[in-house]
Amino acid sequence: MTTLERLDVHALRSVITTFRDAVRDHAGGLNRLNVYPVPDGDTGTNMARTLEAVVAEMETADPDSLDATCDAISHGSLMGARGNSGVILSQILRGLASTLKDKTEGTGERVADALAAASVGAYQAVLKPIEGTILTVVRESADAAKSASADDASLVDVLRAAREAGRQALASTPDLLPVLKDAGVVDAGGAGYLLLLDSALHVVDGEPLPAPEDDPDGPTADQLEQVAHRAAAHDGEIDVSEQRYEVMYFLDLADERIDEFKSGWGAIGDSIVVVGGDGLWNCHVHTNDIGAAIEVALDLDGRPKQIRVTDLFEEVDDEHARREAELHGDVHVGTRAGAGLPPVTTAVVAVCSGDGLAELFSNLGVQGIVTGGQTLNPSTAELLDTVEHVNADQVVILPNNKNIIPVAEQVDALSSKRVSVVPTRTMPEALAALVVYDPEADADDNVTEMNDSVDAVRTGEVTQAVRSTNSDAGPIAEGDWMGIVKGDGIVAVDTELLLVVQQLLGQLIADDGELLTIITGVDADPAVTELIESWLADRHPDVQVEIHRGGQPLYPYLFGVE
């Protein structure tokens, strides 16, 4: 192919699309570079999903208009950014787009200016910049590009200089962050950013893209545990292990007040990234105080919206595999809405994971089903889209997971319909709510009845530990089975699944329990299920038992007692 001398609108669009594809292909390897025991290291997945939003927005713009394309890249990256890495990436793309939009020719010098703007924007987005991260890689690659362009280098030579400096910076990240060296990895965000330069050189000069490793060796579980302790003890500002919640939202706030907002967040959390402008900001923080993270904005007359909260302590390595599978098309994540069903006064939209649960919910009258749950929280947009498609003007959402409740509560303000939320945290609570659901009653009456029914059910679940730790029920080793009761936490631990189930049910079934609902997951063993039934018949003969196939991942058994 002919080497391009300028990055015109068509080449720019090709670079962004190629970058999206490259990050998607490398997402699993980037995720495995994470060294923290929290999902802040879903770097590859978050960057890929951010780029999916950018490309989707870009495809709606006039393909021959540089202005329209750059505006789409900026807006798509702001609105589609996911996670800490996605928000920083969005600022890099916004810096590139805004600079290229103002230039008539995408020469080597102009691209160097754009990389410099991307670096400045990335640093400005982070309240407490840390070297040894993507910030360092972007800055050093931009500096090299500027130096090359000062010597009248061509576009391809500027890009090569930037990539070579970026590669050296990435290789040096473990020397700047001891936590990386402890785990034997480089910074994941920086590795993801280099794929942008690889993509640009692929489009400009036909250089082959780096192939993803078939089976990259990530840090072991023991290494992760050691790194967690070292990170917590490190006398610096890189520790995220003690902040429980990741809070993200869009914020309507006057530009002149954004520094006050950042300072307010700085007092209650870390991993703070704030990007945007012209009154609209995309904000990310790790904190132990969700309420305070929202109140900081309200105190400044700001309006937070599309709030997303993730409990970092509850997220596990299985989430990485699930999201990678989703990214590569191995898991269908979507919505089913009741268009074509008879109109009702009040429709129900429910979140669930597992085909069996989806079928069960449909049989109980749910008109809109959104796939999601513990390992895959749906977005506000997915919930809103389903709400808009059900055949009713009043809608009740059953989120069925505490991390999804804050997202569900944003839908009413965005929808043309009247939307209420019954804050169900488990699938058995949703079943209890649906038993009293009346599609011909208005939303207020349904919400009252559903809340009363949810309050009357006790729920528990069984899952497997992904790392060693301690609990009120005793020490937990990786691979142990855990019985968890909502409100009480971990109440049983053992290497044998059946023993954990028996201990859990022994606490869950009180003297007044009349009905036990068991929802079996995709990993439930029919032989174990039969043993559970036999044990219940012997120990609790007066309790009626209903067993439903749920097909949910990670949790072989969910229980509800009424």
Side-chain angles (χ1 to χ4, degrees), residues 378-554:
S379 67
T380 306
E382 289 169 318
L383 289 172
L384 176 62
D385 180 68
T386 306
V387 164
E388 293 298 316
H389 282 86
V390 297
N391 203 354
D393 293 326
Q394 300 179 61
V395 182
V396 173
I397 298 178
L398 302 179
N400 305 330
N401 183 283
K402 68 178 181 180
N403 294 335
I404 303 173
I405 293 172
V407 176
E409 290 175 341
Q410 304 307 304
V411 175
D412 182 54
L414 303 171
S415 175
S416 61
K417 302 181 179 184
R418 180 184 172 197
V419 181
S420 304
V421 177
V422 175
T424 49
R425 296 170 178 254
T426 65
M427 301 299 168
E429 285 185 344
L431 294 179
L434 290 170
V435 169
V436 297
Y437 163 55
D438 181 356
E440 298 309 319
D442 66 23
D444 285 342
D445 290 341
N446 270 301
V447 167
T448 299
E449 293 294 324
M450 286 178 162
N451 277 322
D452 288 344
S453 186
V454 168
D455 289 341
V457 66
R458 297 185 295 275
T459 66
E461 57 199 17
V462 174
T463 190
Q464 207 161 15
V466 297
R467 65 190 64 187
S468 300
T469 185
N470 291 309
S471 73
D472 290 341
I476 301 172
E478 181 180 350
D480 280 352
W481 290 101
M482 301 178 295
I484 304 169
V485 172
K486 193 196 81 171
D488 294 335
I490 299 172
V491 300
V493 178
D494 203 283
T495 57
E496 295 294 329
L497 173 58
L498 181 60
L499 292 178
V500 167
V501 170
Q502 291 171 349
Q503 293 175 50
L504 170 65
L505 291 177
Q507 296 201 30
L508 199 60
I509 300 175
D511 293 338
D512 58 346
E514 298 177 354
L515 172 64
L516 169 64
T517 300
I518 303 175
I519 303 172
T520 61
V522 66
D523 297 319
D525 185 338
V528 174
T529 304
E530 289 184 9
L531 291 173
I532 293 172
E533 289 184 86
S534 298
W535 181 84
L536 286 167
D538 180 52
R539 297 296 184 90
H540 300 279
D542 296 331
V543 175
Q544 180 183 348
V545 178
E546 292 184 357
I547 299 177
H548 302 283
R549 186 186 69 86
Q552 70 276 1
L554 302 180

Side-chain angles (χ1 to χ4, degrees), residues 50-64:
T50 299
L51 286 165
E52 292 284 1
V54 173
V55 172
E57 183 86 10
M58 189 177 69
E59 288 176 346
T60 67
D62 182 352
D64 298 320

Side-chain angles (χ1 to χ4, degrees), residues 117-138:
S119 176
V120 171
Y123 272 88
Q124 289 177 342
V126 181
L127 183 63
K128 300 175 182 178
I130 298 170
E131 297 301 332
T133 64
I134 184 175
L135 299 177
T136 305
V137 180
V138 176

Side-chain angles (χ1 to χ4, degrees), residues 112 115 138-150 157-166:
L115 290 174
V138 176
R139 174 175 52 77
E140 296 200 9
S141 65
D143 289 346
K146 289 291 287 183
S147 296
S149 68
D157 287 337
V158 165
L159 289 171
R160 284 175 179 154
R163 184 178 64 180
E164 179 58 30

Side-chain angles (χ1 to χ4, degrees), residues 7-10 12-13 54 57-76 93-94 96-106:
L7 196 70
D8 62 14
V9 60
H10 301 292
L12 174 62
R13 293 171 70 95
V54 173
E57 183 86 10
M58 189 177 69
E59 288 176 346
T60 67
D62 182 352
D64 298 320
S65 170
L66 179 62
D67 283 0
T69 294
C70 289
D71 286 343
I73 292 171
S74 293
H75 187 259
L93 294 177
R94 285 163 60 83
L96 286 169
S98 63
T99 304
L100 293 174
K101 178 182 176 181
D102 292 338
K103 307 296 182 182
T104 56
E105 296 180 326

Side-chain angles (χ1 to χ4, degrees), residues 343-361:
V344 294
T345 303
T346 301
V348 172
V349 168
V351 180
C352 76
S353 56
D355 58 341
L357 278 166
E359 182 179 356
L360 185 58
F361 282 3

